[in-house]
Amino acid sequence: MSDEPLRILYLASEVEPFARTGGLAEVAGALPRSLRALGHDIRVAMPCYGHIDAQRWGLRPLLSDYTVTLGNRQEQASLYQSVLPDSDVPIWFIDNQRLFGSPELYLGEPDAERFIFWCQASLEAARQLDWQPDVIHANDWHAAIVANWLRTSLRRDLFFRDTALLYTIHTLAYRGVFGQRVLEIAGLAEYGFITHPDLPSLHRLVDLMSRGIYYADIINTVSPTHAREILTPAYGEGLDPMLRDRRDRLFGVLNGIDPDRYNPATDTQISATYDADHPEGKAVCKAALQTTAGLDVDPKIPLLSFIGRLSDQKGLGLLQETLEPLLAHHRIQLIVLGTGEERYHQWLQVLHERYPEAVQTFFTFSEPLARQCYAGSDILLMPSLVEPGGTNQLIALRYGTLPLVHATGGLADTVQDIDPYANTGTGFVFKQPEVQSLYGTVMRATEAYRHKPLWDNAVKRAMRTDWSWSRAAKRYDELYRRARASRLARRSRLSYGSISE
Ligand code: GLC
């Protein structure tokens, strides 16, 4: 297939550094740069939330007060443009004070209208600017309705009829489920509900995630393992029957990290810099972290960190059951950085009080502290029950901190279990999300830690793995071209009248 540059409209409800609640923002702030580096004309579109500082980010008005149709109503939108920092990737901020005036990203029930508006206003902006996208890359439920429009109300639209759509699932659990009114807001009332014999709830509810899956030309999620997992009831969040129907167009593409942004050789927020050939600085970082955390400063004690949301999905329940006996019987240290469910805050607080020299908690998110944990720890704990892609394990590898992970989703695809005899592997992997497996794997890791040459070799291997975005961008490039081929084939079938939609 030809490799001519494509015009790509990239829709994400959150984009770093402008707005972030989760991993989607990190992807949306990074992948478009690598796609640009491949030569594509890519524009990112996101809502202009109330907290976004127009001056700080250099927003300039591009379209003011243009009309956006929401069913039988009209709303006004304004479009501001800037670029992703240190790049020439344009980013569109779609503004409407009534819908996006508040600083919160997500508000619950009003979100159906807010995000349908943002999608419609993004398409309308492209039309007004006469910038015809070859591909729309829609992320998660917030942008899923675009797939629906392209295949129904817009399928004969002269401007968009050749536009293909790639739908990326980052978090299947967040489905965007609303009532019938949404069909009116989206101007889709005449097409009604989706009918699927195994998904009766879709006959009376609008599930935006399912519409992305049902109508996209190509679908992907953020790791090959998760692309297989979501075909099963255990991970399918109720949509596995539809995903199985469409498995021939479902792919898994691993996320990456920006190797310049995360680089222990140049990081100014850590106590000493280092790299795979000169790893000495890592010990300095460990001592500094032990000091900051008020733990015993001792290079011989393995230091484990957990960074992220304190929730069941991230494996906190499993940690809760496992850590108590571990701390009671073994000399390890633990730092937890993140916020989440109240019961886990309480439990960790008690754990800290019981083991003040071994456990420290920071109920916050702080980028400098996170970097100090990546640099200063020996092991990153990531026992997630579900992890579609995951980024923290990639950052840990880059900083020579060996990830200890449950073999699920992107964790299974990016961390290779250490085999001390073959001298291979980059971390510690357990298969069953159960106390014994996690306990045994922490034991295996702390045992390995006592064998310095073995450990140092594994750290070197971890630091040399390459998970940069350019690899992922090439995969997305392929998927865009597949989506286009599928779109064009469908259109030619349509124009010969051989199928009806
Ligand atoms: C979601 C997933 C996470 C993934 C991220 C970016 O937050 O839970 O695993 O890395 O999206 O794709």
Side-chain angles (χ1 to χ4, degrees), residues 326 379 404-405 416-420 427-431 437-451 454-455:
L326 266 172
I379 295 164
L404 191 158
V405 304
Q416 195 198 348
D417 201 24
I418 287 175
D419 178 342
F428 303 92
V429 182
F430 63 98
K431 294 250 161 61
S437 320
L438 176 55
Y439 193 106
T441 308
V442 175
M443 290 290 68
R444 192 152 63 79
T446 54
E447 185 55 31
Y449 185 71
R450 301 200 304 149
H451 297 276
L454 184 151
W455 190 269

Side-chain angles (χ1 to χ4, degrees), residues 77 132 177 213 375:
Q132 198 169 20
V177 178
I213 295 166

Side-chain angles (χ1 to χ4, degrees), residues 127-164:
R127 200 193 288 276
Q128 301 253 336
L129 297 169
D130 199 24
W131 185 80
Q132 198 169 20
D134 298 309
V135 181
I136 294 178
H137 186 160
N139 291 281
D140 271 352
W141 72 262
H142 320 87
I145 197 72
V146 181
N148 197 156
W149 289 329
L150 290 180
R151 289 277 304 283
T152 53
S153 50
L154 289 178
R155 78 175 196 273
R156 294 186 196 282
D157 181 282
L158 287 181
F159 195 75
F160 286 112
R161 66 178 183 191
D162 290 340
T163 301

